[in-house]
Amino acid sequence: MRAGLDAGMTLVDTAEMYGSGAAETLVGEAISGRRDEVFLVSKVLPSNASRRGTIEACHASLERLGTDRLDLYLLHWRGRFPLQETVAALEELVREGAIRGWGVSNFDVHDLDELAQCPGGAGLQVNQVLYNLARRGPEFALLPHQRSAGVPLMAYSPVDHGELLDDTTLDEIAEGKGVTPAQLALAWVLQALPDGFVAVKASSREHVEQNAAARDVVFSDDERAALDAAFPAPSRATPLEML
């Protein structure tokens, strides 16, 4: 993680769910002494997303992370608690300075429309969803909807949990450019979302360096056409996928 910060990749995405809090503890150790360099994102589980539960979960995350604030706090996905309860808690956390802003994850268009009707719903700052070459469904309705509302999309799993790495088209283009298939898949998402963000995994310093280098990949028109043929854009609305 520190190598990533050194490379200018300063958004760190975590959640109370990951490792039952252990991931947040690890992130806290990694960013110790460098908190001001980091745009820190964490998430509350739907099972904790009542008004009181959201506030308590946020304070527990802050303690594990060793910080006094989050830059973004997300509802991980929809659960049993009414959205207005969660939004009220998120707005309260903003007022107290525990978070600078809030968003959601795994919300489709109808979810965002319902959220917008909640008191305080206009405070939404981001929606984190599954989006990559193999899962382009958000392009049909969700991404245009968010862009019209000025809400950035944050993509997760840009290599589709590794499933994309065995694709022949991706392999051939990557080999011709002297990059890895993972770098190519990541570069495609980065360029598809010039107004958004991408959360990408890294498990070693080498992996971090490869992710950073993906920012420099350039596609020719023929390469884009080949990728579009192998992974067609959606022609109709489909339910939002989750991993």
Side-chain angles (χ1 to χ4, degrees), residues 210-225:
Q210 290 175 351
N211 287 344
R215 296 175 294 187
D216 300 323
V217 172
V218 177
F219 294 97
S220 69
D221 290 342
D222 287 345
E223 289 165 344
R224 289 192 176 278

Side-chain angles (χ1 to χ4, degrees), residues 89-201:
L90 293 167
E91 287 291 298
E92 185 173 336
L93 288 166
V94 171
R95 289 192 295 271
E96 74 173 59
I99 65 175
R100 296 179 61 193
W102 60 269
V104 294
S105 183
N106 300 301
F107 271 43
D108 212 338
V109 172
H110 64 279
D111 301 306
L112 295 177
D113 286 342
E114 183 179 339
L115 181 68
Q117 300 306 310
C118 296
L124 175 70
Q125 292 192 5
V126 74
N127 182 24
Q128 183 182 111
V129 303
L130 176 63
Y131 177 56
N132 56 50
L133 267 170
R135 301 179 191 263
R136 297 179 62 176
E139 292 178 15
F140 188 85
L142 181 61
L143 186 53
H145 180 86
Q146 290 191 213
R147 282 176 168 157
S148 68
V151 177
L153 186 145
M154 183 188 298
Y156 69 81
S157 196
V159 298
D160 206 35
H161 280 214
E163 295 296 320
L164 278 168
L165 304 186
D166 295 325
D167 180 78
T168 302
T169 301
L170 210 63
D171 285 345
E172 290 177 353
I173 295 175
E175 184 177 0
K177 300 179 82 64
V179 299
T180 68
Q183 286 176 300
L184 199 74
L186 174 57
W188 184 90
V189 181
L190 286 168
Q191 293 175 39
L193 294 175
D195 52 350
F197 310 89
V198 183
V200 58
K201 179 182 177 181

